[in-house]
Amino acid sequence: MLDGTTKLSGPARAGNIGSTQGCGYEHGVSNEAYGCVSMANNRWHAVRGYTFGNQWPDLIPAVNWVLDTQYDPTDLSAYLTTTDNLPDVRLWDWNYGAGKPQGWVDCPADNTGIGYKVPGDSDTRWCRGQIIRFNSCWNDQEDYDTDTERYLVCHEIGHTLGLLHHSLNSCMRTEVPLYLAVPNLLSHEIGHINAGY
């Protein structure tokens, strides 16, 4: 049984979709301290893997599963690409130091486009070229299982679309004991995605 909790990006706020302050591009840096949640700028959501530490061998199958079963059935066209040089999301899997399974998102200084879905509205800020970082160095390899992988991927991809934390038992739940984590979106989260894109 898993008893750890994940460390995930973005503070909770009143709504379930929108962007958060503190994004990396505002500070000219790109690291965990400036984790953020941004919107996407259109309904096509390309995800591309870049740097892999090879300690999480099933990351790409988990990404494929999440995109195919959770995000592509929405009004989005969410897909994994190996050729798009300007993807919406860039995946990094690396050894960030021993800990629990974790991930975070930011809009880095080297983003490939930023703006607002509604000009000047900080709750609708979008970023192309967001980075999802997954820590592939875990203290306890028993934490490594399919549902944990899918939960983390679903959660972090949700942040790249503007989904925020909440307490309901979906993949956007935060600080959940990993053995209770579910890799699925709820219908109201799907509704937010469909309304926004």
Side-chain angles (χ1 to χ4, degrees), residues 79-92:
Y79 56 96
L80 190 66
T81 180
T82 58
T83 58
D84 190 337
N85 291 325
L86 296 172
D88 298 284
V89 178
R90 298 174 284 177
L91 301 174
W92 287 6

Side-chain angles (χ1 to χ4, degrees), residues 116-138:
Y116 297 92
K117 291 174 77 69
V118 177
D121 182 352
S122 64
D123 284 348
T124 61
R125 178 177 44 227
W126 63 266
C127 176
R128 187 182 64 227
Q130 295 181 75
I131 292 179
I132 300 177
R133 291 175 174 79
F134 292 107
N135 185 12
S136 61
C137 184
W138 301 347

Side-chain angles (χ1 to χ4, degrees), residues 61-62 65-66 145-155 171 183:
W65 184 89
V66 166
D145 70 7
T146 300
D147 279 347
T148 300
E149 294 169 343
R150 291 174 176 177
Y151 165 76
L152 288 168
V153 170
C154 182
H155 186 107
C171 69

Side-chain angles (χ1 to χ4, degrees), residues 22-60:
C23 292
Y25 69 79
E26 294 175 343
H27 304 279
V29 298
S30 180
N31 61 40
E32 179 184 2
Y34 296 109
C36 66
V37 178
S38 294
M39 307 289 284
N41 64 338
N42 57 43
R43 66 178 296 268
W44 292 275
H45 208 58
V47 177
R48 183 173 179 180
Y50 279 87
T51 305
F52 295 98
N54 297 318
Q55 296 185 53
W56 192 348
D58 294 331
L59 178 59
I60 291 301

Side-chain angles (χ1 to χ4, degrees), residues 1-5 56 99-101 138-149 152 178-179:
M1 182 180 343
L2 306 177
D3 59 1
T5 58
W56 192 348
K100 291 295 180 183
W138 301 347
N139 284 330
D140 185 352
Q141 287 302 309
E142 290 181 10
D143 285 344
Y144 173 90
D145 70 7
T146 300
D147 279 347
T148 300
E149 294 169 343
L152 288 168
L178 292 177
Y179 65 89

